[in-house]
Amino acid sequence: MTDESTRRSGADGYESPEGFSPYGYGSPHGSDTPPAAHAAPGPWPSPPPYAPGPAPERKRTRGPIALLAAVALVAAAVGGGTAYAFQELANHSDSASAQAGTPVVTAGKKGTGTVAAVAAAVSPSVVQVDATLQDGSSTGSGVVVTSGGEIITNNHVVSGASSVKVRTSDGKSYPADVVGTDSSKDLALLKVSGASGLKAATLGDSSGVRVGDTVVAIGSPEGLSGTVTSGIVSALNRDVTVSTDEGQSQGQGGQQGGDGDWPFQFGGREFNGDTGSSTTTYKAIQTDASLNPGNSGGALFDASGRVIGINSAMYSSGSQASSSSDAGSIGLGFAIPVNTVKTDLAKLRAGSTD
C-alpha cells in the first residue's frame, strides 16, 4: 500500500491519486459532494482524512444568445465606425463642393446630368438683355448672380447704351442700370430695378473644367429668349481677341448694322468682321455648343448646373455665306471662364468704367 498522503483506496478497491475520488468530488471535473446516482446505501462515510486539491475554474460554454449578442456588438461597433467615416467623407465633400459652387442638379435624382435636368433647374437664372444705342439696338443675354438683381453680361452688349432692359424667363421686363464695366475682360455688371426674388445662378470653378466635359448654353440667340443648346468643352485657354470700341456693339443681335455678329480674332484670323483699332485678349473656354448672335453674355453651365463661363464670342458662317443653308453656328464658340468673372465682381460693383 502506498503512502496514504499521496494515494488512497476507493470503496471499490481502486486506488486514486490525491485529490481525486471515484465519485468525482475533489476532482477537477467533479464536485466535493458525491452524486446521488452513486450514493452507497446506508450512512455516508466520513470524508477521508486528506486535503483535496484545488478545483480549477470551469469554462462556461457560450450559448447561442451570448454569441449573437457579441456578434451584434461587434457589428454595431463596425457599423458605427463606418457611418462616422462616411459622414466625415461627406462633410469633406460638401465643403469642397461649397467652395466650387454647390451643384444645382442634385445627384441621385432621375435624369441627373442630362441637358433637360440642367435646363429645367437653371433657365430662370438667365435673362435677355436689350440695350438701346444711339444708332440702333443690341440684344444679348445675362446671368443673374444675386437674387437682388445683379446681372453679369458682356461689355460689348451694353457698351454705349442709353438705356437697358432685362427680360426674365417668365416674360417680365425690368429697367436696368449699368453699374460697372471692364472692357479688358469684356464684362459688365447690371442692376435691375423693381425686381425681387430673382433666381441667382451658382458660380462654379472653371479651373476644374476638362476638355470633353458636357456643357449647356442658355441665352437669347436672335432674340429667341431661353434657347438651350448643348455640347462639350472643345479646348481650354484659347487666346481670343475682341473689340473694345463702343460702336462695334451695334451689330450684336442682328438688329442694326454689320453682319449681326460680334467680331473677334482667333488663331491669327478675324471672324465676323473687323474688330477695329482697340482690342483686348483673354483666355477662353472653347465649346462646340451652338452659339449665335444674342447668346453673348449668357451662361455656359456644367452638367451639375453650375456656371463655368460667360458666352462671349462665336463664329457664324451665315455672316459670310451666300446660301441660307450655311447659316448658323458651326460649333466654334468661346466663353469667359467664370473664375475671371468672380475675381472681377468687386471691381464691377465699385463702378469701374474701364
Side-chain angles (χ1 to χ4, degrees):
M1 179 72 70
T2 60
D3 187 356
E4 194 170 323
S5 64
T6 57
R7 303 178 70 86
R8 74 174 189 83
S9 176
D12 56 1
Y14 174 76
E15 292 186 345
S16 302
E18 180 184 3
F20 287 80
S21 110
Y23 300 112
Y25 61 94
S27 70
H29 303 291
S31 167
D32 287 337
T33 303
H38 296 279
W44 186 257
S46 299
Y50 72 93
E57 294 183 1
R58 300 182 190 178
K59 292 185 179 180
R60 292 182 177 270
T61 303
R62 182 169 292 176
I65 296 179
L67 181 60
L68 289 175
V71 172
L73 181 61
V74 173
V78 174
T82 304
Y84 175 78
F86 179 79
Q87 183 178 8
E88 287 299 301
L89 179 61
N91 289 341
H92 177 74
S93 298
D94 288 344
S95 176
S97 296
Q99 294 176 6
T102 304
V104 178
V105 181
T106 307
K109 289 187 176 180
K110 184 177 181 180
T112 296
T114 66
V115 174
V118 173
V122 303
S123 287
S125 300
V126 181
V127 300
Q128 179 173 312
V129 178
D130 296 307
T132 300
L133 310 171
Q134 182 177 357
D135 299 321
S137 63
S138 172
T139 298
S141 305
V143 181
V144 179
V145 292
T146 63
S147 58
E150 285 186 326
I151 294 171
I152 282 287
T153 187
N154 286 140
N155 176 63
H156 72 255
V157 172
V158 296
S159 180
S162 56
S163 66
V164 177
K165 286 187 177 181
V166 167
R167 178 171 298 186
T168 57
S169 61
D170 59 5
K172 296 180 180 179
S173 184
Y174 302 95
D177 297 318
V178 178
V179 176
T181 60
D182 186 349
S183 59
S184 65
K185 295 182 176 64
D186 196 17
L187 294 172
L189 180 66
L190 310 179
K191 181 63 183 294
V192 175
S193 301
S196 62
L198 298 180
K199 184 174 181 179
T202 297
L203 303 184
D205 182 1
S206 50
S207 67
V209 174
R210 301 171 301 173
V211 173
D213 282 350
T214 299
V215 290
V216 177
I218 302 180
S220 300
E222 305 296 350
L224 301 173
S225 61
T227 296
V228 177
T229 57
S230 65
I232 62 169
V233 173
S234 303
L236 299 169
N237 299 315
R238 295 296 202 193
D239 288 324
V240 175
T241 301
V242 298
S243 174
T244 59
D245 290 340
E246 289 188 359
Q248 293 286 358
S249 64
Q250 295 182 13
Q252 177 64 27
Q255 300 194 32
Q256 173 66 33
D259 303 311
D261 298 318
W262 178 242
F264 68 97
Q265 297 175 10
F266 169 69
R269 299 174 57 196
E270 286 192 343
F271 299 89
N272 304 339
D274 184 12
T275 57
S277 58
S278 180
T279 62
T280 184
T281 301
Y282 57 83
K283 298 288 185 180
I285 299 171
Q286 182 180 333
T287 179
D288 69 348
S290 180
L291 302 178
N292 290 288
N295 272 114
S296 288
L300 189 66
F301 295 97
D302 65 13
S304 294
R306 296 171 292 203
V307 178
I308 59 169
I310 300 297
N311 301 320
S312 57
M314 64 288 301
Y315 174 61
S316 175
S317 61
S319 61
Q320 299 176 358
S322 57
S323 170
S324 60
S325 63
D326 295 327
S329 171
I330 62 170
L332 186 61
F334 301 92
I336 301 166
V338 74
N339 285 4
T340 300
V341 177
K342 292 192 289 188
T343 57
D344 211 35
L345 266 176
K347 178 180 178 180
L348 295 173
R349 284 170 173 155
S352 168
T353 56
D354 292 351

